[in-house]
């Protein structure tokens, strides 16, 4: 069965009270709409259409980054979810098969659930995903007629009796493309919100003699995010899931509640994550690596046997080979550290390549930015960079070379050479005592030195 996917992402999300479009708020470091795209991908959709409105240009950019083939259409006025789906009509013109509608603010729907929803079309003309809510709150309610779905009533329009129904609408719908758009054409906006509700297609379908059914899933999968509090609750749920997954994967989390993952964090077996570690998007930590306390990683790869932190920061493009050491107050950005390289204290390594076994002394800085351009620093295998060396890029320090502590290195250093780039020390015997005596005498006379 060919299927297409429509993701509704045009709403302003007024209750978020934000300039950022609701669907771009991050959950596990990944925008909500990207969660929806990834969830929908399990259906292997022939075409993906995202309906954007508020912040459409931003939404378009994020969607293109995740799925360049997805079509983004605009809903210039947010007249309701049915009106939003109608905007996808032209983009789906001529597509055979079913359409699954997914809301961009509902990030947790699982692969099996989506598959069950799509498969249930074999039994019904129209299928809606529902769930029993512990606290149904403001969700739309599913009004059943025996085993069949009679209609959906929005919270705003529901009677007290209908509000007592615990079976709620997740927002996911599946129907044949042509049928879906026909039903949408018949939806009006005579309701409490004055909107064209997608949910009204159920009553329309029934009036036309079509069948409507419900596929049920766990409430956790259908959490719809409308407020900052709901976003925070979703984040907590995601983190709980990621921590449980890490345990299943054989990862040691010493204090799990203090470790924060991104939705795409990958951690290998027997890795150890100490307390208070934060993972941004795009991090892979291989088996047996140790991330010590209070470290922050994003867009980084940490190989086997490497030790990071405490208090280390790995930024995008940090590539740590096996047995690398990156210690306290070291920042690494867009830099490769080859096997066994060490930067144990107080350093910035940006736009750099550090050869195997090189030792980066405390306080070393790659001066990579001239205010306009970024430049690279190359450090050869086995080089020894003395403490407090400023490497003014572009610059290359050869294999096995050595730089003196406190050097400002502005010229390339050949393999095996020693480079000193600092003022020579002058030592004057006895001068300290004489100088102090003079100052004390001046003070005794009431002078200011
Ligand atoms: C919707 C459902 C409700 C369901 C709940 C589940 C309707 C009418 N109601 O309510 O039954 O229980 O989701 O979470 O469908 N959107 C557009 N254009 C619009 C309006 C909305 O693209 O004109 C998008 C929003 O960005 C959002 C999604 O559609 O991603 C749902 O809209 P929202 O306003 O959040 O609907 P709810 O009131 O939560
Ligand atoms: Ca919603």
């Amino acid at each position: 069965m060919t299927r297409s996917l429509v993701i509704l992402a045009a709403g302003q999300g007024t209750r978020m009270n934000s300039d950022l479009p609701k669907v771009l708020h991050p959950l596990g470091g990944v925008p909500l709409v990207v969660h929806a795209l990834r969830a929908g991908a399990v259906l292997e959709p022939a075409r993906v259409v995202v309906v954007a409105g508020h912040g459409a240009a931003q939404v378009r950019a994020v969607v293109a980054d995740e799925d360049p083939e997805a079509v983004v259409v605009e809903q210039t006025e947010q007249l309701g979810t049915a009106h939003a789906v109608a905007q996808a009509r032209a983009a789906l013109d001529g597509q055979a098969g079913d359409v699954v509608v997914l809301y961009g603010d509902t990030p947790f729907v699982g692969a099996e659930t989506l598959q069950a929803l799509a498969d249930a079309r074999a039994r019904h003309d129209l299928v809606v995903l529902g769930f029993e809510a512990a606290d149904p709150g403001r969700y739309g309610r599913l009004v059943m007629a025996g085993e069949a779905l009679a209609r959906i009533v929005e919270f705003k329009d529901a009677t007290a009796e209908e509000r007592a129904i615990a079976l709620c609408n997740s927002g996911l719908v599946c129907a044949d493309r042509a049928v879906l758009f026909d039903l949408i054409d018949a939806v009006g906006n005579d309701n409490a919100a004055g909107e064209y509700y997608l949910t009204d297609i159920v009553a329309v379908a029934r009036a036309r003699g079509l069948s409507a059914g419900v596929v049920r899933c766990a409430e956790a999968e259908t959490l719809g995010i409308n407020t900052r509090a709901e976003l925070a609750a979703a984040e907590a749920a995601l983190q709980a899931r990621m921590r449980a997954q890490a345990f299943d994967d054989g990862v040691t989390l010493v204090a799990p509640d203090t470790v924060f993952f991104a939705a795409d964090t990958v951690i290998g077996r027997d890795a150890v994550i100490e307390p208070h570690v934060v993972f941004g998007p795009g991090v892979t930590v291989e088996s047996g690596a140790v991330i010590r306390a209070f470290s922050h990683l994003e867009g980084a790869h940490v190989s086997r046997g490497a030790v990071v932190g405490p208090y280390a920061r790995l930024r995008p493009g940090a590539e740590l080979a096996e047995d690398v050491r990156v210690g306290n107050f070291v920042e690494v950005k867009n830099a490769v550290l080859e096997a066994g390289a060490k930067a144990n204290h107080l350093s910035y390594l940006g736009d750099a390549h550090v050869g195997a076994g090189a030792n980066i002394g405390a306080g070393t800085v790659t001066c990579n930015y001239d205010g306009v351009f970024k430049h690279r620093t190359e450090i050869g295998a086995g080089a020894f960079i003395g403490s407090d060396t400023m490497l003014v890029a572009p610059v290359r320090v050869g294999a096995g070379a050595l730089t003196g502590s406190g050097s400002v290195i502005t010229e390339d250093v050949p393999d095996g050479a020693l480079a000193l780039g600092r003022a020579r020390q002058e030592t004057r015997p006895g001068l300290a005592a004489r100088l102090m005596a003079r100052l004390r005498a001046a003070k005794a006379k009431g002078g200011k030195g």
Side-chain angles (χ1 to χ4, degrees):
M1 161 69 87
T2 312
R3 294 186 190 100
S4 299
L5 190 66
V6 174
I7 297 177
L8 302 191
Q12 180 177 20
T14 315
R15 294 169 69 213
M16 295 292 280
N17 190 13
S18 174
D19 285 342
L20 189 66
K22 175 168 75 171
V23 295
L24 296 189
H25 278 264
L27 176 68
V30 174
L32 290 173
V33 69
V34 173
H35 283 272
L37 283 164
R38 290 182 186 169
V42 304
L43 296 173
E44 297 177 358
R47 176 153 292 188
V48 176
V49 183
V50 177
V51 182
H54 281 276
Q58 282 166 281
V59 173
R60 191 180 287 280
V62 169
V63 168
D65 207 34
E66 172 68 16
D67 178 358
E69 279 168 23
V71 181
V72 178
V73 298
E74 267 185 62
Q75 182 194 27
T76 44
E77 265 187 300
Q78 280 67 56
L79 302 179
T81 44
H83 180 259
V85 176
Q87 310 312 304
R89 186 193 307 263
L92 292 176
D93 200 31
Q95 282 287 331
D98 285 354
V99 172
V100 172
V101 179
L102 198 62
Y103 289 173
D105 67 350
T106 308
F108 287 141
V109 60
E112 282 170 24
T113 298
L114 270 171
Q115 201 60 57
L117 178 80
D119 292 347
R121 268 274 298 116
R123 305 188 295 278
H124 310 281
D125 294 309
L126 176 64
V127 189
V128 169
L129 183 67
F131 61 103
E132 297 277 348
D135 170 13
R138 304 176 64 85
Y139 286 113
R141 306 298 206 268
L142 303 187
V143 180
M144 302 298 288
E147 277 306 290
L149 177 60
R151 61 199 168 86
I152 305 178
V153 59
E154 284 305 296
F155 175 81
K156 283 182 186 165
D157 303 292
T159 61
E161 202 177 321
E162 287 163 342
R163 287 181 181 184
I165 298 173
L167 186 61
C168 294
N169 176 33
S170 69
L172 276 79
V173 179
C174 181
D176 171 74
R177 178 192 62 89
V179 170
L180 177 69
F181 287 114
D182 270 359
L183 294 173
I184 281 172
D185 282 342
V187 168
N189 66 346
D190 181 17
N191 52 54
E195 287 183 8
Y196 296 88
Y197 292 157
L198 178 61
T199 45
D200 282 352
I201 62 171
V202 176
V204 175
R206 295 274 293 186
R208 292 182 180 182
L210 299 175
S211 70
V214 177
V215 165
R216 293 167 200 241
C217 72
E219 184 175 3
E221 287 187 53
T222 61
L223 183 67
I225 293 163
N226 301 306
T227 65
R228 303 251 183 191
E230 284 166 357
L231 181 61
E235 185 71 46
L238 178 76
Q239 293 301 332
R241 225 167 50 193
M242 299 286 298
R243 290 167 192 148
Q245 184 65 50
F247 288 139
D248 286 350
D249 293 344
V251 177
T252 297
L253 302 179
V254 178
D257 290 350
T258 70
V259 174
F260 294 86
F261 295 106
D264 62 356
T265 307
V266 177
I267 308 211
R269 193 162 167 264
D270 287 325
V272 175
I273 315 296
E274 289 189 357
H276 299 286
V277 172
V278 176
F279 293 93
V283 177
T284 307
V285 174
E286 286 186 15
S287 283
V290 178
I291 312 298
R292 302 190 64 188
F294 296 102
S295 294
H296 189 283
L297 297 81
E298 64 184 308
H301 175 228
V302 179
S303 302
R304 278 168 186 274
V307 180
V308 173
Y311 297 100
R313 181 166 185 210
L314 302 186
R315 291 173 52 204
E319 174 75 41
L320 275 47
E322 292 187 10
D323 304 320
V324 160
R325 296 280 180 277
V326 168
N328 40 276
F329 306 107
V330 173
E331 175 178 341
V332 180
K333 183 217 75 172
N334 189 30
V336 176
L337 276 65
E338 298 288 3
K342 291 191 178 72
N344 273 329
H345 344 260
L346 297 160
S347 283
Y348 173 59
L349 299 172
D351 304 307
H353 184 272
V354 178
N359 193 312
I360 309 296
T364 295
V365 171
T366 53
C367 309
N368 61 329
Y369 187 46
D370 57 18
V372 180
F373 296 106
K374 298 278 171 64
H375 301 282
R376 290 192 61 78
T377 300
E378 301 281 339
I379 297 171
F384 186 96
I385 307 299
S387 292
D388 202 27
T389 297
M390 298 296 119
L391 297 158
V392 182
V395 73
R396 180 180 177 280
V397 177
L402 202 153
T403 68
S405 293
S407 290
V408 178
I409 301 295
T410 56
E411 292 166 13
D412 287 356
V413 181
D415 291 358
L418 164 67
L420 284 173
R422 64 184 189 216
R424 262 201 186 284
Q425 181 172 329
E426 270 181 56
T427 309
R428 312 243 181 112
L431 191 60
R434 291 210 304 278
L435 181 64
M436 291 310 284
R438 206 163 71 210
L439 292 174
R440 286 196 190 99
K443 191 176 183 186
K445 279 192 202 154
K448 282 190 180 160

